[in-house]
């Protein structure tokens, strides 16, 4: 039986589906995709803060998917990938947290608009769902970062 990790200390191939924190790639891009679709499906008002949320969710969705496919295809054999994994996930956590807080503040501001019957309650509920998904996504990136840091320290 083949070892579960490569020479760089990172799993490749099917082991990505069985090792921690790589298994978190799947919920990371699922929750980023949910944030992206929930924000895009509602009234994007105000555009500037929600534009940041869209940028972060699409950026993290694309790069997490890219990392996932590189790991599955075995392109992570260099020792550089351990540090790159930590760096990407640290940046992703900071981006995700800022986007989640921004989305939460915008949703709270929209509560006043819902009370004035200028925004539908359904749109407000979708905004709340997006906030929950954004914070869950932030949590999964944070957990991945912690495990990646432990792996970096032990290598």
């Amino acid at each position: 039986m083949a070892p579960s990790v490569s020479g760089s200390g990172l799993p490749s191939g099917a082991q990505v589906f069985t090792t921690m924190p790589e298994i978190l790639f799947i919920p990371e891009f699922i929750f980023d995709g949910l944030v992206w679709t929930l924000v895009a499906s509602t009234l994007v008002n105000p555009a500037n803060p929600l534009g940041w949320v869209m940028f972060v969710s699409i950026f993290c969705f694309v790069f997490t998917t890219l990392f996932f496919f590189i790991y599955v295809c075995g392109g992570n054999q260099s020792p550089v990938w351990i540090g790159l994994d930590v760096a990407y996930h640290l940046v992703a956590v900071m981006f995700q947290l800022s986007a989640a807080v921004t989305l939460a503040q915008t949703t709270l501001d929209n509560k006043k608009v819902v009370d004035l019957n200028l925004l539908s309650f359904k749109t407000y509920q979708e905004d709340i769902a997006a906030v929950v998904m954004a914070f869950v996504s932030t949590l999964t990136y944070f957990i991945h970062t912690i495990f990646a840091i432990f792996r970096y320290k032990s290598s």
Side-chain angles (χ1 to χ4, degrees):
M1 177 171 240
S4 64
V5 293
S6 63
S8 68
L10 294 172
S12 62
Q15 287 84 18
V16 171
F17 297 104
T18 60
T19 57
M20 192 67 168
E22 282 70 33
I23 194 133
L24 293 174
F25 280 136
I26 296 167
E28 285 170 3
F29 64 72
I30 288 172
F31 290 124
D32 278 335
L34 285 171
V35 171
W36 174 15
T37 56
L38 285 168
V39 171
S41 69
T42 63
L43 177 66
V44 181
N45 186 20
N48 195 17
L50 293 182
W52 172 249
V53 174
M54 289 293 290
F55 167 76
V56 168
S57 61
I58 292 171
F59 172 83
C60 290
F61 180 84
V62 168
F63 275 93
T64 298
T65 304
L66 183 66
F67 263 65
F68 178 73
F69 284 124
I70 289 171
Y71 277 50
V72 168
C73 293
N76 60 344
Q77 301 303 309
S78 170
V80 172
W81 280 93
I82 295 174
L84 192 59
D85 187 39
V86 172
Y88 166 67
H89 282 91
L90 278 172
V91 169
V93 165
M94 290 186 287
F95 276 13
Q96 287 285 340
L97 185 59
S98 69
V101 170
T102 301
L103 185 59
Q105 183 60 49
T106 303
T107 302
L108 282 174
D109 293 343
N110 283 343
K111 172 79 168 98
K112 299 169 191 150
V113 177
V114 170
D115 291 341
L116 297 172
N117 292 325
L118 300 175
L119 183 70
S120 74
F121 187 65
K122 180 183 177 286
T123 301
Y124 181 65
Q125 288 176 321
E126 288 175 354
D127 288 342
I128 292 172
V131 169
V132 170
M133 293 302 135
F135 278 106
V136 170
S137 180
T138 303
L139 180 64
T140 58
Y141 277 102
F142 181 73
I143 293 169
H144 193 138
T145 303
I146 296 301
F147 279 100
I149 289 171
F150 286 150
R151 180 172 43 213
Y152 179 77
K153 294 257 185 194
S154 68
S155 67

